[in-house]
Amino acid sequence: MSLDVFLLLAAALFSVGLYGVLSQQSVVMLMMGLELMLGGVIVAAAAVWHFLFAGADAQVLVVVAVTVMAVEMAVGFAVVTALFRTREVDMTDMAAELKE
Amino acid sequence: MADAWWSVLALPVMLVVAACVAAGFDALLGASAAYGPAGSVRVWGTRAATPLREARRLLGQPARRTKAADTALVRVGTALLPTAALLAGAVLPLGFTAVSDPGVGIVWFNAMEALAWAAVWLTGWGPNAALSMIGGYRFLALGLAYELPHMFALTTAGLGAGSLRVGEVVAAQEGLWFAVWMPVAFAVYLLSALAMAFWGPFDQPVGADAAQGAAAELSGVDRLVFFGGRWLLLVVAAAFSVPLFLGGGHGPLLPAWAWTVVKTAAVLALLIGVRRALPTLRLDRFMGLAWMVLLPLVLLQALAVSVVVVLR
Amino acid sequence: MTDGGVWAGVVSVVLAVLAVICAVQVFRFDSMARATYALLGSLLCVGGEVLLLGLDYLGVVIVLMMTVEMALMGVFMVMFMMNPGGLMPMTMVHNARGAAVISGLVFAGLTAGIFLVPWPVSRTRAPADPTHDLGRALMGPHMLTMMTLGLALFAAIVATVTLATARGRYGPSTPAPPHGPKGPEHPDETEAPERPHEQEAAPERPHVREDSPHAHSREDLTPSHGRQDPAHPRETGSPAHPHGREDPS
């Protein structure tokens, strides 16, 4: 087990998630990309805890990242639901205006 | 902690035997209700062996596939249900030794039975059929209702012992069982055990009104694996209430493993009997009940337990 | 730096490769159910890696939360995506090459950093019970984080429920009057939504459910099917009139 493997995994997950966020038209797929990015953050924080500094800070970062994942998904789906009800679309391109 | 490697093999065997016995008991109850009390021991034996005959019949049945079904997802879903049950059972102690006793045993149990959510939804979605998809969705709704009270009931037991390790929870019940001084948590845990195996009043995910819901399009080995997994999950959930709330292997005369078996059998008999006693509960009503009644009650129970623990 | 047995190293590499494969497959599957569960597979591998690194409680909590989250995400995927079963090949991407270039550059930059940064030698020894440490930290020095998380979760619950109920943010909707309340003048129309819509090479029409009242009224009354007719800009629905108005053309 080496630090490089875990950090490479974190970088790879982050990049794949970034690709999803930038390229996907559908809001739900975009959120899946966000989840992958946060997964990368979690792996990086856990690797730092194990290899570099075994304090509580890295663990708290993992907790925060997991909470952010949950909150992002919940609010994201609520926004998509509201968007879908008013505009009947779920694409980011057509959500250019959210004002009522 | 059982260091012997054979315990990993013994666990599935014991759980499957327990599931067969439980299914036989359920078949006995059902046959007595339908055909009247059994006349002789031979009739008893025949009725109790119904699940085994059914399993043999399913093994020989050809698989029926629906049009454009996602077969991979069906296989993953049906196989995931018994796998989740077996993984969750890895922290079950027989007497005082379990296959493994990790420091976060209670959370491990919770995480492994949450895999059942994915299992039932995938089984419902895979066959590309409306009623089976409805069954899968129903299980997610059921899960949303029971999961939070379940988690808080588990947390309360961990609170009482001051640890998340199942071995320490058992050790903390040497004097007084947790079921005695945290009864609300025990009752909520039993309800959630029924719900997590979608049994009894919570069997809408495989309900008769939806042509057996998530299992509507299953046949042959898939059906056997799915319903076998459901039985395993019920057995594991009932068995986990023993170390958590009923004192594990503690008891006066019998050896520890015998007490575990006796207590598990009692809880299982209760849970199986509940199915005959109560009708199916509609999920929207249960959702309201779970969020408005069970959750505040179990939170108050947790508060009471933490006050006791702090003052102790 | 390396530590742990060979077995742990092999498992960490296997889980890492599996995680990345599943992550890539998320965006390649046609079936939305498969994409959701590929994401679950990737995040379960992340949970496994965290477990391997010695964070027992956090690893198991990640497994638990991700399973429940992805199971529910599956419901939303099916609700909103137009090809949930994957029975037709479909790609809905915009600027795929630009996105690939950017993410490739980011990955290259991060990898360069990983191999070039002189990582410090660990001076602290891994504690025996990280869960206990975490609990003490959250209730002690990191209490601010705990309170913020609690408030954020509460705000998320309130916001989610408000946005998602049928009642919406504006209260009960008033029923639409029989003939459109406005004449040919539509002061609240804007041109912005139409332009990107017209220039897209991908689906011409917005993602409209065929059984919605909007679809029927548009089919019946608008002279142009598909493309937007600039003389008759599309009505922008507002939550006060959920069932739309008849197109005055």
Side-chain angles (χ1 to χ4, degrees):
Chain A
M1 288 210 307
S2 76
L3 177 62
D4 296 335
V5 168
F6 291 100
L7 288 182
L8 273 176
L9 168 65
L13 283 177
F14 190 83
S15 311
V16 173
L18 185 62
Y19 168 78
V21 165
L22 291 176
S23 71
Q24 293 294 318
Q25 275 187 343
S26 166
V27 177
V28 196
M29 296 296 291
L30 191 150
M31 280 166 41
M32 293 169 107
L34 278 174
E35 301 272 308
L36 281 172
M37 288 165 80
L38 286 165
V41 167
I42 288 177
V43 171
V48 162
W49 181 86
H50 181 95
F51 289 103
L52 295 182
F53 179 67
D57 297 335
Q59 289 197 66
V60 171
L61 180 56
V62 174
V63 171
V64 169
V66 170
T67 310
V68 167
M69 279 169 113
V71 167
E72 162 245 325
M73 242 184 56
V75 177
F77 284 135
V79 165
V80 172
T81 308
L83 195 64
F84 196 80
R85 283 215 183 101
T86 60
R87 302 292 168 101
E88 309 248 347
V89 297
D90 69 335
M91 313 273 189
T92 46
D93 298 332
M94 282 149 227
E97 310 215 1
L98 263 182
K99 70 173 178 62
E100 298 303 329
Chain B
M1 161 102 184
D3 293 312
W5 58 268
W6 51 262
S7 64
V8 178
L9 298 174
L11 174 75
V13 171
M14 286 200 290
L15 285 178
V16 167
V17 167
C20 291
V21 170
F25 178 63
D26 180 55
L28 267 179
L29 285 182
S32 306
Y35 306 119
S40 64
V41 179
R42 216 184 113 248
V43 177
W44 265 40
T46 316
R47 286 178 179 181
T50 311
L52 296 174
R53 282 202 303 275
E54 182 71 12
R56 202 184 60 183
R57 180 186 78 88
L58 285 175
L59 277 176
Q61 194 183 42
R64 174 174 58 85
R65 292 270 170 253
T66 46
K67 189 173 175 181
D70 202 338
T71 317
L73 291 188
V74 173
R75 294 248 167 82
V76 167
T78 50
L80 192 55
L81 197 55
T83 312
L86 289 174
L87 283 174
V91 292
L92 279 180
L94 180 67
F96 296 115
T97 54
V99 171
S100 81
D101 195 16
V104 290
I106 293 181
V107 194
W108 171 265
F109 173 80
N110 201 357
M112 289 306 112
E113 57 92 359
L115 288 176
W117 289 41
V120 177
W121 190 84
L122 283 171
T123 311
W125 170 261
N128 192 22
L131 287 176
S132 89
M133 190 185 87
I134 288 175
Y137 274 42
R138 279 179 176 177
F139 188 69
L140 288 184
L142 180 64
L144 281 175
Y146 86 76
E147 190 69 26
L148 270 182
H150 174 71
M151 284 189 188
F152 280 114
L154 292 177
T155 309
T156 311
L159 252 184
S163 165
L164 289 173
R165 189 187 291 265
V166 179
E168 289 188 26
V169 173
V170 173
Q173 295 182 67
E174 226 174 304
L176 187 63
W177 290 359
F178 281 174
V180 174
W181 60 285
M182 38 177 104
V184 173
F186 181 49
V188 165
Y189 179 84
L190 286 180
L191 272 178
S192 67
L194 284 173
M196 91 173 70
F198 46 103
W199 184 257
F202 306 118
D203 66 355
Q204 267 209 319
V206 288
D209 62 334
Q212 288 218 313
E217 305 293 340
L218 292 180
S219 62
V221 177
D222 293 329
R223 192 178 193 86
L224 176 63
V225 169
F226 185 76
F227 281 110
R230 179 197 196 194
W231 274 109
L232 280 175
L233 201 51
L234 182 65
V235 165
V236 167
F240 201 63
S241 74
V242 169
L244 272 192
F245 292 103
L246 291 176
H250 292 296
L253 291 171
L254 300 170
W257 63 267
W259 269 120
T260 307
V261 170
V262 165
K263 292 176 188 177
T264 308
V267 175
L268 259 181
L270 173 69
L271 291 184
I272 293 175
V274 160
R275 179 192 184 195
R276 303 286 160 189
L278 296 179
T280 301
L281 194 57
R282 245 178 47 205
L283 282 178
D284 46 350
R285 297 182 82 99
F286 179 58
M287 180 86 82
L289 177 77
W291 281 84
M292 309 283 247
V293 175
L294 290 184
L295 190 56
L297 274 181
V298 81
L299 282 174
L300 286 174
Q301 169 80 85
L303 178 64
V305 167
S306 27
V307 166
V308 168
V309 165
V310 164
L311 292 179
R312 184 154 74 176
Chain C
M1 55 207 78
T2 62
D3 72 322
V6 172
W7 180 85
V10 166
V11 172
S12 74
V13 170
V14 165
L15 280 180
V17 168
L18 215 59
V20 175
I21 291 177
C22 288
V24 170
Q25 285 297 95
V26 167
F27 301 110
R28 292 186 37 145
F29 274 138
D30 288 329
S31 160
M32 287 302 118
R34 287 190 178 191
T36 309
Y37 282 90
L39 184 59
L40 176 62
S42 180
L43 291 172
L44 286 182
C45 292
V46 165
E49 296 274 21
V50 173
L51 269 175
L52 263 184
L53 285 166
L55 290 172
D56 294 336
Y57 177 71
L58 288 174
V60 180
V61 157
I62 286 174
V63 168
L64 170 61
M65 285 188 60
M66 292 309 124
T67 311
V68 172
E69 277 180 34
M70 293 306 128
L72 293 175
M73 185 185 248
V75 171
F76 284 94
M77 296 296 282
V78 168
M79 204 194 303
F80 292 125
M81 297 293 291
M82 62 183 168
N83 188 19
L87 297 177
M88 298 184 293
M90 172 192 78
T91 50
M92 291 177 9
V93 294
H94 53 212
N95 199 13
R97 263 208 330 194
V101 164
I102 292 177
S103 59
L105 284 176
V106 165
F107 182 64
L110 287 172
T111 312
I114 290 169
F115 286 118
L116 293 178
V117 164
W119 297 108
V121 177
S122 167
R123 263 174 278 116
T124 53
R125 151 189 308 272
D129 194 356
T131 316
H132 184 82
D133 273 3
L134 175 64
R136 282 244 106 117
L138 278 177
M139 288 294 132
H142 283 278
M143 176 64 94
L144 180 60
T145 312
M146 185 74 166
M147 311 272 323
T148 311
L149 287 177
L151 276 178
L153 284 167
F154 180 62
I157 291 175
V158 172
T160 307
V161 172
T162 311
L163 277 176
T165 55
R167 201 170 160 275
R169 292 171 281 164
Y170 300 110
S173 58
T174 56
H179 313 285
K182 297 186 176 139
E185 292 302 311
H186 301 288
D188 63 337
E189 299 285 71
T190 53
E191 290 299 317
E194 277 88 49
R195 213 164 296 118
H197 173 70
E198 283 174 5
Q199 287 167 0
E200 242 166 29
E204 299 180 9
R205 303 199 58 150
H207 179 184
V208 173
R209 293 173 301 177
E210 288 307 306
D211 58 346
S212 74
H214 281 285
H216 284 307
S217 64
R218 232 178 266 117
E219 292 286 351
D220 292 338
L221 298 178
T222 50
S224 59
H225 293 255
R227 290 283 180 204
Q228 280 293 313
D229 190 347
H232 302 283
R234 178 165 58 95
E235 305 283 327
T236 59
S238 68
H241 304 282
H243 295 291
R245 306 185 285 265
E246 300 283 278
D247 196 318
S249 66

